[in-house]
């Protein structure tokens, strides 16, 4: 059963290495401003995260199968004794990779939000530039007409 735990943790470690690579690729695509490629990369990241979550659920099942009272690997570690040392080392590597992925994801998030803010500001600027500046227009008689922004009474001929 310990072999299953080690295999599961090994798959998680390899998955996190791939995730880190995908996050770095996403960052380079964000800096290159390639939205279609970013979207494709994002779908890959989401699928990998789904698979990693499934591995975590399977790991939890293996832990409970070994020791029904254990809820986490740390709880199980006391039961395993010296046999759990390689598992501890593997989990330390997984934790370090998770931290690196979290830092890279935070960088990607900040960059994506900054680009979205920049695009919104540029769009607002362009809208302000194309809006008419004044309300003065010419009437049918060729004079500058004044507009009444508030309600006005209409008088017709009887």
């Amino acid at each position: 059963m310990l072999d299953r735990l080690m295999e599961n943790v090994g798959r998680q470690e390899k998955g996190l290495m791939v995730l880190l690579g995908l996050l770095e690729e996403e960052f380079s695509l964000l800096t290159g401003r390639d939205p279609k490629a970013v979207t494709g990369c994002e779908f890959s990241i989401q699928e990998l995260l789904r698979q990693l979550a499934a591995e975590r659920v399977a790991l939890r099942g293996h832990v409970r199968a070994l020791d029904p009272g254990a809820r986490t690997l740390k709880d199980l570690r006391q039961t395993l004794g010296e046999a759990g040392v390689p598992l501890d080392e593997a989990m330390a590597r997984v934790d370090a990779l998770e931290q690196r992925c979290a830092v890279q994801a935070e960088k990607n998030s900040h960059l994506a939000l900054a680009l979205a803010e920049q695009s919104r500001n540029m769009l607002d600027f362009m809208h302000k530039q194309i809006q008419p500046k004044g309300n003065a227009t010419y009437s049918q008689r060729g004079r500058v007409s004044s507009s009444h922004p508030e309600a006005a009474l209409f008088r017709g001929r009887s």
Side-chain angles (χ1 to χ4, degrees):
M1 192 56 125
L2 185 60
D3 292 336
R4 285 187 185 173
L5 289 175
M6 288 300 295
E7 289 171 2
N8 186 296
V9 172
R11 284 191 302 271
Q12 287 185 42
E13 183 178 2
K14 289 175 183 162
L16 286 168
M17 286 181 201
V18 172
L19 179 62
L20 184 60
L22 284 171
L23 288 169
E24 289 170 349
E25 179 183 350
E26 181 186 34
F27 186 80
S28 67
L29 293 171
L30 283 168
T31 56
R33 298 182 185 219
D34 188 359
K36 288 183 182 178
V38 170
T39 302
C41 189
E42 188 64 33
F43 282 130
S44 298
I45 289 170
Q46 294 300 321
E47 177 61 24
L48 183 56
L49 286 173
R50 187 194 63 75
Q51 291 173 4
L52 285 170
E55 287 293 333
R56 288 286 168 101
V57 170
L59 181 65
R60 189 176 304 134
H62 294 316
V63 167
R64 288 192 180 144
L66 277 175
D67 184 5
R71 297 188 59 184
T72 64
L73 276 176
K74 290 182 182 180
D75 296 341
L76 182 64
R77 177 67 179 94
Q78 296 171 354
T79 306
L80 294 176
E82 287 299 314
V85 172
L87 185 62
D88 285 343
E89 293 169 354
M91 284 307 298
R93 290 191 304 269
V94 166
D95 287 341
L97 278 169
E98 281 181 354
Q99 292 301 317
R100 288 179 59 195
C101 288
V103 168
Q104 187 63 47
E106 187 71 19
K107 286 180 186 177
N108 292 3
S109 173
H110 285 303
L111 181 57
L113 290 173
L115 289 172
E117 178 77 16
Q118 183 183 30
S119 295
R120 189 177 55 78
N121 288 342
M122 180 61 80
L123 193 58
D124 288 345
F125 173 76
M126 290 173 63
H127 277 114
K128 288 178 184 174
Q129 292 300 311
I130 62 173
Q131 288 177 347
K133 302 290 185 253
N135 294 335
T137 58
Y138 290 100
S139 69
Q140 290 176 342
R141 295 187 181 107
R143 295 187 212 150
V144 177
S145 65
S146 60
S147 62
H148 301 286
E150 65 278 342
L153 289 174
F154 289 102
R155 293 188 185 176
R157 294 185 186 183
S158 338

